[in-house]
Amino acid sequence: MRSILKWSRENLFATRMNAVMSVLSIWLVYVAIEGVFSWALINASFIGTDKASCAANPHGACWPFVTAKLNQFVYGNYPMGEQWRVNIVFALGAFGLGLLMTKRVSFKKEVAVLMLTVYPVLTFILLSGGFLGLSYVETNQWGGLLVTLVIAVTGIVVSLPLGILLALGRRSELPIIRIMSIGFIEFWRGVPLITVLFMASVMLPLFLPEGMNFDALLRCLIGVSMFASAYMAEVIRGGLQAIPKGQYEAAKSLGLSYWKSMRLIILPQALVVSIPGIVNTFIGLFKDTTLVMIVGIFDLLGIISFHFTDPNWTSPQVPITGFVFAGLVFWVFCFAMSHYSKSVERRFSVTGENK
Amino acid sequence: MSEKHIIEITHLDKYFGDFHVLKNINLSVAAGERIVICGPSGSGKSTLIRCINHLEQHDGGEIIVEGIPLNDSVKNIDFIRSEVGMVFQQFNLFPHMTVLENCILAPVWVKGVPRAEAEMLALQYLERVRIPDQADKYPGQLSGGQQQRVAIARSLCMQPRIMLFDEPTSALDPEMIKEVLEVMVDLAEQGMTMLCVTHEMGFARRVADRVIFMDEGEIIEENTPAAFFDNPQNDRTKLFLSQIIGD
């Protein structure tokens, strides 16, 4: 107790100005937290099956809406009886990521390779089905968090290697490769993602021959991946430029070929330098997935707002509750990514002093 | 005649844009010969040795290393780079790898030496540069002198027949210069062909077979160390020597 008093005197009330600022800040924080707290907990409704249960608390959150619709928020219209397939995909993904994040695991490389090769194939087989005795589930039945994660993870997994190749291409000494890389990057960076998605879903079918059509979700996946790759390329190019010329020369003088020196010397250093930018792009990509809503794909946000129109739940608290819930889920994922990136950065720190 | 010359440079020309860095350089190096190249900054001495392993591309003339001409052929360039080791002023160790990993990288990935064998070889060379107990440290944890000795060991691990040194002691604190020079003297005494760009005149006197003085892209004077230091012929050499030796 004495030490708390001492600490506050030194840090919060050292001068008169300091004291005024401290009181003001504490008051502001209190007002904000108190508002959120009473809305989300004190004045909120928790139990019920329709909007009537929320009518009693008009100034609080309507959580029954979220609990009643949770299944759709996670799986969309994925058939109830088949949802175990999604659960396996989620569980395997979480397990794999968990292994990659655990410090003591010594076989990280093998896990990473499996996650990048076997896991996507397995995910496709399980989610889509149509063979091996699994019934076919059309992608227009997919929705909610499932779709958000499918788009975000695909975008992340495709954009990193493609971004690396584009960044190397942009710095290439071969003019054709350089021009093609610059063209690709500048095209995709210059177009808004909404336009890309619209083009993919509305324009593209017009150009394709009659009868030939490919999946709407797949088109979105390609659009999002190309878009993210262009951004990723520029982030990685920044990292490549941070590597001193001497590193390239030392690699050359030892007789390493271009690809070997990139793989062993330059990229491992450049990628570590780029981690903050890479994670920034990942987070941006994760949040941008909400835009697929406008081409009729129901991601998490899309499906939540779709259910606002349910006549059982037309009440003024419902949209607010839904948006807050969506925000919370997005925040948890993005915060986790940013937090994890910090530990990765520390682990791969180039100086060797932090190892 | 050319049989015993391990490096043969004839009529070498090199430009940086409009700037004529190397002007009609002719230089033959015998196997086992130790050459020190000195001269004022901007005289082209670094560029000259960087041409030998094609870190710089020459614009005219010919460079032949062990009978192989250095031209656009990637195969020739790769061969020559695997025969020629280089030590840089700034060490240029790979900071994300341990000392041992730095040393085994090229043998494993370029020559295809099995990892265990490469590690044995690396430890042997680390011993030779007198830092066998630092193998698991990262370059950032070593002093400048230690880093430079690791860089020498890393080059030696490729078992080159020729070593190029590009001002290897210029970035070092004075108390660390000696430990690096001692390693270089060792190397010279074991018969390595060496081309050293350096201003360490004591080193030149002690080990060099020949000292070459360059200025403004030309070889002005070359002689045995004794004759070079005690009886320089050219006025520019005299001026340069008076400047670096002090008074």
Side-chain angles (χ1 to χ4, degrees):
Chain A
M1 195 64 204
R2 286 268 301 270
S3 66
I4 294 176
L5 278 177
K6 185 164 172 276
W7 182 88
S8 347
R9 202 174 307 130
E10 280 168 9
N11 293 284
L12 300 179
F13 305 104
T15 64
R16 192 169 300 169
M17 189 59 189
N18 191 331
V20 171
M21 292 308 284
S22 297
V23 170
L24 201 66
S25 316
I26 291 170
W27 177 73
L28 274 173
V29 170
Y30 169 76
V31 168
I33 288 182
E34 198 268 342
V36 171
F37 196 70
S38 61
W39 177 83
L41 296 173
I42 297 174
N43 294 331
S45 319
F46 290 95
I47 320 164
T49 48
D50 60 9
K51 61 183 171 187
S53 50
C54 294
N57 299 314
H59 299 297
C62 182
W63 296 122
F65 171 67
V66 173
T67 42
K69 302 284 187 183
L70 197 59
N71 193 275
Q72 274 107 322
F73 291 173
V74 175
Y75 303 99
N77 291 322
Y78 208 89
M80 284 278 191
E82 304 292 332
Q83 286 176 0
W84 58 271
R85 286 152 56 173
V86 181
N87 292 339
I88 291 182
V89 168
F90 282 166
L92 279 178
F95 182 66
L97 278 180
L99 284 180
L100 288 178
M101 288 172 169
T102 312
K103 266 206 180 120
R104 290 211 196 112
V105 175
S106 56
F107 47 91
K108 282 205 178 73
K109 215 183 211 169
E110 289 78 359
V111 176
V113 169
L114 282 179
M115 288 295 284
L116 290 175
T117 54
V118 179
Y119 181 67
V121 176
L122 204 66
T123 300
F124 175 75
I125 293 174
L126 276 169
L127 291 184
S128 187
F131 37 84
L132 296 178
L134 295 168
S135 62
Y136 179 59
V137 181
E138 267 187 86
T139 53
N140 59 20
Q141 291 177 285
W142 306 14
L145 187 63
L146 169 63
V147 157
T148 297
L149 288 176
V150 164
I151 297 173
V153 172
T154 310
I156 286 170
V157 169
V158 173
S159 68
L160 193 58
L162 203 58
I164 290 173
L165 288 179
L166 285 167
L168 293 177
R170 190 163 188 168
R171 288 166 59 88
S172 169
E173 284 167 13
L174 308 170
I176 293 181
I177 296 197
R178 190 174 57 241
I179 289 167
M180 279 171 55
S181 305
I182 293 176
F184 183 97
I185 292 169
E186 295 304 338
F187 172 78
W188 289 102
R189 271 207 314 173
V191 183
L193 183 55
I194 289 198
T195 320
V196 172
L197 294 172
F198 253 123
M199 291 280 276
S201 70
V202 182
M203 301 276 288
L204 199 63
L206 299 178
F207 299 130
L208 291 172
E210 193 88 25
M212 184 184 159
N213 194 9
F214 63 101
D215 194 87
L217 182 62
L218 183 61
R219 281 177 292 184
C220 275
L221 288 179
I222 295 172
V224 168
S225 301
M226 297 295 114
F227 190 80
S229 301
Y231 276 91
M232 194 57 76
E234 287 300 278
V235 168
I236 291 167
R237 190 166 68 97
L240 289 172
Q241 273 166 351
I243 307 303
K245 205 169 132 230
Q247 294 287 307
Y248 292 87
E249 291 184 346
K252 273 189 195 171
S253 76
L254 287 168
L256 289 165
S257 67
Y258 173 80
W259 286 109
K260 280 179 191 165
S261 62
M262 286 302 142
R263 193 178 123 203
L264 299 164
I265 312 296
I266 306 301
L267 281 174
Q269 297 182 62
L271 290 179
V272 172
V273 177
S274 326
I275 286 176
I278 291 175
V279 174
N280 210 18
T281 311
F282 283 170
I283 288 177
L285 167 69
F286 192 85
K287 293 191 291 191
D288 280 350
T289 57
T290 51
L291 290 174
V292 299
M293 188 161 58
I294 61 145
V295 293
I297 293 172
F298 291 98
D299 77 311
L300 180 63
L301 185 63
I303 208 135
I304 290 177
S305 34
F306 174 75
H307 280 283
F308 295 162
T309 56
D310 183 343
N312 279 332
W313 291 98
T314 45
S315 122
Q317 304 107 294
V318 161
I320 305 173
T321 310
F323 283 133
V324 167
F325 176 70
L328 207 62
V329 174
F330 275 98
W331 183 81
V332 165
F333 276 95
C334 293
F335 180 73
M337 279 196 266
S338 124
H339 192 73
Y340 178 56
S341 85
K342 266 188 224 151
S343 75
V344 173
E345 231 175 304
R346 231 174 291 129
R347 179 144 27 106
F348 290 106
S349 136
V350 185
T351 58
E353 275 147 25
N354 303 329
K355 301 215 178 200
Chain B
M1 180 67 189
S2 74
E3 270 302 294
K4 64 174 196 194
H5 283 149
I6 197 165
I7 301 173
E8 195 97 52
I9 298 173
T10 43
H11 305 300
L12 184 70
D13 272 301
K14 165 83 189 157
Y15 296 84
F16 285 137
D18 289 334
F19 181 57
H20 202 168
V21 212
L22 295 176
K23 298 170 187 159
N24 190 23
I25 301 283
N26 293 286
L27 176 66
S28 298
V29 182
E33 201 175 6
R34 276 93 49 162
I35 294 178
V36 164
I37 304 170
C38 59
S41 74
S43 60
K45 51 196 192 305
S46 285
T47 310
L48 173 61
I49 66 166
R50 286 162 61 87
C51 280
I52 296 174
N53 67 352
H54 208 257
L55 286 183
E56 302 287 354
Q57 189 163 3
H58 54 281
D59 298 308
E62 214 173 25
I63 302 174
I64 298 173
V65 180
E66 293 189 23
I68 307 288
L70 196 53
N71 47 29
D72 287 339
S73 154
V74 176
K75 208 177 131 203
N76 288 3
I77 294 172
D78 284 349
F79 170 80
I80 289 170
R81 281 186 180 154
S82 72
E83 291 288 300
V84 179
M86 184 155 198
V87 176
F88 298 87
Q89 182 178 357
Q90 300 293 343
F91 330 135
N92 295 350
L93 292 175
F94 306 131
H96 60 304
M97 297 178 173
T98 64
V99 165
L100 189 65
E101 286 166 344
N102 263 279
C103 290
I104 66 171
L105 181 88
V108 169
W109 288 92
V110 178
K111 282 187 168 172
V113 176
R115 207 184 164 84
E117 202 176 302
E119 281 181 7
M120 292 234 311
L121 192 73
L123 288 173
Q124 205 176 308
Y125 280 117
L126 285 173
E127 187 124 12
R128 222 167 116 182
V129 300
R130 295 158 204 176
I131 29 179
D133 44 355
Q134 315 277 10
D136 293 324
K137 287 199 180 163
Y138 284 85
Q141 297 167 309
L142 303 181
S143 73
Q146 289 173 322
Q147 289 193 49
Q148 192 61 297
R149 284 183 285 147
V150 171
I152 294 173
R154 178 176 73 178
S155 286
L156 292 176
C157 282
M158 281 296 276
Q159 301 184 297
R161 295 192 57 201
I162 302 159
M163 285 286 284
L164 308 174
F165 292 85
D166 188 2
E167 308 207 23
T169 55
S170 304
L172 294 175
D173 290 334
E175 74 271 20
M176 291 170 184
I177 291 177
K178 198 170 152 238
E179 62 189 53
V180 171
L181 288 179
E182 276 171 5
V183 167
M184 289 170 64
V185 170
D186 266 5
L187 209 55
E189 282 168 357
Q190 283 160 24
M192 176 68 77
T193 309
M194 293 165 70
L195 277 85
C196 312
V197 172
T198 179
H199 293 148
E200 295 298 331
M201 291 307 144
F203 171 79
R205 251 183 213 278
R206 191 164 154 200
V207 304
D209 298 307
R210 216 176 348 150
V211 180
I212 290 174
F213 174 70
M214 285 181 73
D215 193 14
E216 294 180 354
E218 292 170 300
I219 295 182
I220 303 294
E221 188 166 346
E222 54 177 298
N223 220 327
T224 60
F228 180 83
F229 289 114
D230 302 334
N231 189 17
Q233 302 298 309
N234 190 291
D235 286 341
R236 281 196 268 179
T237 318
K238 287 176 195 166
L239 177 67
F240 175 75
L241 285 175
S242 73
Q243 279 164 345
I244 62 163
I245 289 164
D247 33 22

